[in-house]
Amino acid sequence: MTDLFATSRESQHRSVRLIRASHLDEDLSALGEGARDLLKRGGFSGRPGQIASLPEGSGADAVAGVGLANDPQALGPAALGLAEGVWRLEGPLHGLDPTLLAISWAMGGYQFARYKTWPRQPAKLMPVEGADMAEAKRVARSIHLVRDLVNTPAQDMGPHALQDAVAALAKEFGGKSKATTGDKLLKDNYPMIHAVGRAAAEAPRLIELEWGDPAHPLVALVGKGITFDSGGLDIKPSAGMRLMKKDMGGAANAMGLARLIMDAKLPVHLKLYVAAAENAIGAGAFRPGDVLASRKGLTVEIDNTDAEGRLVLGDAIARAVEDEPDLLLDFATLTGAARVALGPDLAPFYSNDPALSDAISRGGVAANDPVWQMPLWDNYDSWLDGSISDLKNAASGGFAGSITAALFLRRFVGKTRWAHFDIFAWNPEDRPARPKGGEMLGSRAAWAMLKERYGKGK
Ligand code: BES
Ligand code: ZN
Ligand code: ZN
């Protein structure tokens, strides 16, 4: 990752002031008259994300609009809108959280450089007064990791590459990783992961990472790692398939959260499970009407091969609960219905534990990573009942697609304290601090919850 933060020792730096649209005259009064005039004539109104540079002697080198000052991400465009070099936030922060401001700077400064040389480097930010810069750096690195993983096309981010990425993460923080691959999945009883991925050129696998002191409470993370979702034999139309390199976005988010936990040395025992497979089409592909065995012992009739995420997750979740974790969190780009319900910004989440739900909602506010609790509506559960099997993988009727997918997962969870995030993992267009492409969503809210629950990871 390009370093977006400068140290306080850097002597050469320029200054940028935060300006509210709601208090435009008041906030601009700190500048000289010439600068104010220049800004007014240039149409500067303090709207979120607006940046303007100022000539020498203006009282600041630049201004950045923050609108109503209710969203630190308004600062996002600064890192690529201000000139290269080192910058310092000067003047009042208008109540914006200093750590979130620093994180927003780094969110906006992201450039995916694997296949393209960008014409410039992002500007660097000096430590923000009152900010926890170590936390800002951790979060920034995680966000960039998640985005890089999601943005990498399936050709370079297949099940094996995903395994390598988990192994690299384990190595960086002194954890252990391993994978159960191909036919070994059948031998070790992961039939659904195997079935979903068996038609692809690269073998499916369950990738595991373990870190931390076994005496600490066990936190299990599970991620949907479908490295490409063609839909399988129930093939997706072109428009629906176009973005499906991002179908490992749940795995990427779980890895980003694992990275935060390890980097902050949160006192937990961490186990990460990534169910990695490509949902491909081929002579060996699983079919509509097939009845799969599962790790938990439930039989699952395939109603639609495009509802593959819940299958690989079913086996991975069944494995994770065998360890009896204190907490199980799963992340998945599970349904198109979630996107229809809440759009790309808000992560819908489900939980079987009210206190955990509340903590996640609070975490979303604290981290400025909005999440929205959705109901595990018992009355819809019977829609998953199978006629020749215990359950089927897509509910009849097509109502409440995100809820029924969550209910499917619940059948594999049992009594474990659990939350499930049905995320989009993608910014459909450029917005302040949210460049088009892969995105970390929901897992920053989960991180805030974990810090609150297990303490001292700040
Ligand atoms: N990966 C998709 C869900 C998805 C689609 C996420 C678009 C984000 C954007 C998933 O595997 C899928 O295709 N789900 C189906 C389930 C249906 C067949 C029951 C869906 O949501 O349409
Ligand atoms: Zn699918
Ligand atoms: Zn999918």
Side-chain angles (χ1 to χ4, degrees), residues 84-422:
E84 282 184 18
V86 178
W87 289 79
R88 196 169 73 82
L89 296 189
E90 202 163 87
L93 303 181
H94 308 309
L96 289 163
D97 181 282
T99 308
L100 291 179
L101 280 170
I103 292 169
S104 302
W105 181 287
M107 288 175 80
Y110 173 80
Q111 294 173 313
F112 182 50
R114 182 159 174 166
Y115 307 98
K116 172 173 170 174
T117 310
W118 292 85
R120 57 159 291 176
Q121 293 293 311
K124 291 187 186 187
L125 180 65
M126 296 212 21
V128 183
E129 204 175 317
D132 180 347
M133 291 306 286
E135 170 72 359
K137 277 180 200 166
R138 266 196 298 272
V139 172
R141 290 187 79 96
S142 275
I143 294 173
H144 287 208
L145 168 70
V146 173
R147 289 176 178 175
D148 282 351
L149 289 168
V150 175
N151 286 334
T152 304
Q155 117 223 15
D156 290 327
M157 192 48 68
H160 199 282
L162 204 51
Q163 179 185 338
D164 287 346
V166 173
L169 206 53
K171 190 162 177 238
E172 185 176 353
F173 296 101
K176 289 183 295 189
S177 74
K178 64 170 185 174
T180 308
T181 306
D183 288 344
K184 186 93 185 342
L185 288 168
L186 290 179
K187 194 166 159 274
D188 289 359
N189 197 21
Y190 298 102
M192 297 202 291
I193 300 176
H194 182 268
V196 168
R198 72 189 185 203
E202 262 183 55
R205 60 205 71 202
L206 178 69
I207 309 162
E208 296 173 49
L209 178 154
E210 184 174 359
W211 173 90
D213 184 346
H216 288 149
L218 180 62
V219 172
L221 306 179
V222 173
K224 170 177 171 181
I226 299 296
T227 58
F228 189 77
D229 184 9
S230 70
L233 292 173
D234 288 310
I235 188 169
K236 285 182 182 291
S238 316
M241 205 189 296
R242 178 63 183 86
L243 287 181
M244 282 300 126
K245 68 172 182 180
K246 79 172 173 77
D247 215 20
M248 35 56 73
N253 270 267
M255 289 165 70
L257 182 53
R259 193 184 194 291
L260 283 168
I261 291 169
M262 297 188 290
D263 200 0
K265 298 190 173 62
L266 194 73
V268 298
H269 177 204
L270 171 68
K271 285 208 183 195
L272 166 71
Y273 294 94
V274 169
E278 178 177 345
N279 189 16
I281 298 168
F286 74 126
R287 319 160 187 83
D290 282 356
V291 176
L292 306 186
S294 69
R295 180 173 189 84
K296 195 178 163 82
L298 298 168
T299 55
V300 181
E301 183 180 5
I302 303 306
D303 181 63
N304 191 316
T305 60
D306 199 9
E308 82 299 335
R310 61 197 75 182
L311 301 172
V312 298
L313 287 173
D315 274 354
I317 286 172
R319 171 65 190 86
V321 300
E322 288 165 17
D323 302 324
E324 299 182 358
D326 183 53
L327 198 61
L328 166 64
L329 304 176
D330 81 73
F331 298 87
T333 51
L334 201 59
T335 69
R339 169 200 52 177
V340 173
L342 296 183
D345 290 5
L346 269 175
F349 77 95
Y350 299 81
S351 178
N352 58 4
D353 185 281
L356 177 59
S357 304
D358 289 350
I360 291 170
S361 297
R362 273 200 306 281
V365 174
N368 200 32
D369 179 19
V371 293
W372 201 259
Q373 192 189 353
M374 301 273 280
L376 288 162
W377 191 251
D378 289 325
N379 286 354
Y380 297 166
D381 188 72
S382 62
W383 293 350
L384 293 163
D385 289 342
S387 44
I388 63 164
S389 61
D390 294 322
L391 72 166
K392 53 192 180 187
N393 79 328
S396 41
F399 295 117
S402 176
I403 295 177
T404 53
L407 290 170
F408 181 97
L409 297 183
R410 190 176 69 171
R411 296 222 188 176
F412 295 83
V413 171
K415 296 213 175 327
T416 301
R417 192 180 294 116
W418 163 68
H420 152 63
F421 294 79
D422 190 347

